[in-house]
Coordinates of all heavy atoms in Angstrom, one line a residue:
V1179 N -213.2 -154.5 -70.0 CA -212.6 -155.4 -69.1 C -211.3 -156.0 -69.7 O -211.2 -156.2 -70.9 CB -213.6 -156.6 -68.8 CG1 -212.9 -157.6 -67.9 CG2 -214.8 -156.0 -68.2
V1180 N -210.3 -156.2 -68.9 CA -209.1 -156.9 -69.4 C -209.2 -158.4 -68.9 O -209.3 -158.6 -67.7 CB -207.8 -156.2 -69.0 CG1 -207.6 -154.9 -69.7 CG2 -207.7 -155.9 -67.5
K1275 N -193.9 -162.7 -82.3 CA -193.1 -161.4 -82.5 C -193.1 -160.6 -81.1 O -192.1 -160.1 -80.7 CB -193.8 -160.5 -83.5 CG -193.4 -161.0 -85.0 CD -193.9 -159.9 -85.9 CE -193.9 -160.6 -87.3 NZ -195.0 -160.1 -88.2
I1309 N -213.1 -170.2 -74.8 CA -213.5 -168.8 -74.8 C -214.2 -168.4 -76.0 O -215.3 -167.7 -76.0 CB -212.3 -167.9 -74.4 CG1 -212.0 -168.1 -72.9 CG2 -212.7 -166.4 -74.7 CD1 -210.9 -167.2 -72.4
T1392 N -208.5 -141.8 -42.8 CA -209.3 -142.1 -41.5 C -209.0 -143.4 -40.9 O -209.8 -144.0 -40.2 CB -210.8 -142.0 -41.8 OG1 -211.2 -143.0 -42.8 CG2 -211.2 -140.6 -42.3
L1476 N -212.4 -136.2 -36.9 CA -213.3 -137.2 -36.4 C -214.3 -136.6 -35.4 O -213.8 -136.2 -34.3 CB -212.6 -138.4 -35.9 CG -211.7 -139.2 -36.8 CD1 -211.0 -140.3 -36.1 CD2 -212.5 -139.8 -38.0
Q1501 N -229.7 -143.2 -36.7 CA -229.0 -141.9 -36.7 C -227.8 -141.9 -37.6 O -227.5 -140.9 -38.3 CB -228.6 -141.5 -35.3 CG -229.7 -141.0 -34.4 CD -229.3 -141.1 -32.9 OE1 -228.1 -141.2 -32.6 NE2 -230.3 -141.1 -32.0
E1504 N -228.9 -141.7 -41.1 CA -229.4 -140.3 -41.4 C -228.2 -139.3 -41.6 O -228.3 -138.4 -42.4 CB -230.3 -139.9 -40.3 CG -231.7 -140.5 -40.5 CD -232.5 -140.5 -39.2 OE1 -232.2 -139.8 -38.2 OE2 -233.5 -141.3 -39.1

Side-chain angles (χ1 to χ4, degrees):
V1179 176
V1180 289
K1275 284 190 195 143
I1309 288 181
T1392 60
L1476 296 176
Q1501 281 161 19
E1504 282 159 16

